[in-house]
Amino acid sequence: MKIGAPGTRKPGKANPIVLGSLFILIGGIVFFMWGLPPLKYSNASKTWPSVPGEITRSELETYRKDGKTQYLPDIAYKYNVDGKDYSSSKVTVGDPPFTGSISPAKRIQNYYPVGKNVDVFYDPEVPSSSALRPGIQKNDILLAVITGIFPLMGILILISGIRAKIRKSFAESTAYSQNK
């Protein structure tokens, strides 16, 4: 079953206005649902209050992903807010700092040895949400950039399609007026 008139079914002739609109719509939803909220939450963590805490675990985890070894510092700590004890393993507010090199992971692990007293930054609305390093990290920016590329591409494709349509319309009107 073929859809469309024979003249409209040409390979490589996608309508850039429709394609651009789809990229904007779907990319925008992805960006506003998954790219922007972690960035905003990480940014908000800069203003979180802090309490004293203590490192309770400092290890290095190793994972295999796509045939490559990945390293993750496994840091846990305990802290107390308003008389209630909490524990967490979030070094940063966003995703954990996975790395393909052991050096950065080992550096983080060495910075937080078991027993070390640390400042724990916690969300005042949800004290169980905490981090040792508040603020925006590279992973948060990377996620926002990756998800933000699609709506931006959609805008460029849409503009290109509109320009092409205007040029075509102008050329047709010029040819029509010259034929009169």
Side-chain angles (χ1 to χ4, degrees):
M1 180 173 144
K2 295 181 179 179
I3 299 175
T8 62
R9 289 191 315 260
K10 294 179 185 172
K13 294 288 183 184
N15 184 338
I17 295 174
V18 173
L19 186 63
S21 299
L22 284 172
F23 265 71
I24 292 170
L25 178 67
I26 295 169
I29 290 170
V30 169
F31 176 73
F32 285 107
M33 295 289 290
W34 289 284
L36 191 58
L39 191 65
K40 289 173 72 176
Y41 192 65
S42 293
N43 189 47
S45 71
K46 290 189 230 175
T47 62
W48 288 357
S50 68
V51 294
E54 182 183 346
I55 302 296
T56 58
R57 182 178 64 240
S58 181
E59 299 171 356
L60 194 61
E61 292 187 12
T62 307
Y63 296 92
R64 300 276 304 161
K65 182 177 180 183
D66 299 328
K68 296 180 182 177
T69 303
Q70 299 286 313
Y71 302 95
L72 174 67
D74 183 19
I75 311 298
Y77 52 92
K78 61 182 180 178
Y79 61 103
N80 185 295
V81 176
D82 296 329
K84 186 170 182 187
D85 291 328
Y86 296 94
S87 64
S88 181
S89 59
K90 297 282 279 182
V91 175
T92 62
V93 176
D95 289 330
F98 275 98
T99 178
S101 171
I102 195 167
S103 297
K106 196 78 172 147
R107 209 175 347 210
I108 293 170
Q109 181 199 15
N110 289 338
Y111 188 79
Y112 296 110
V114 172
K116 180 178 182 177
N117 292 322
V118 291
D119 288 328
V120 177
F121 298 86
Y122 68 94
D123 184 340
E125 294 177 19
V126 185
S128 61
S129 180
S130 63
L132 298 175
R133 296 181 180 179
I136 297 172
Q137 306 297 320
K138 290 178 193 172
N139 290 351
D140 304 319
I141 295 170
L142 183 63
L143 179 64
V145 167
I146 289 171
T147 59
I149 285 173
F150 293 98
L152 289 176
M153 283 177 44
I155 291 169
L156 294 175
I157 293 168
L158 181 65
I159 289 171
S160 171
I162 291 171
R163 280 184 164 169
K165 195 168 190 96
I166 290 171
R167 277 194 303 268
K168 182 180 178 186
S169 177
F170 180 73
E172 287 173 353
S173 69
T174 304
Y176 177 76
S177 64
Q178 288 175 351
N179 290 337
K180 278 189 163 184

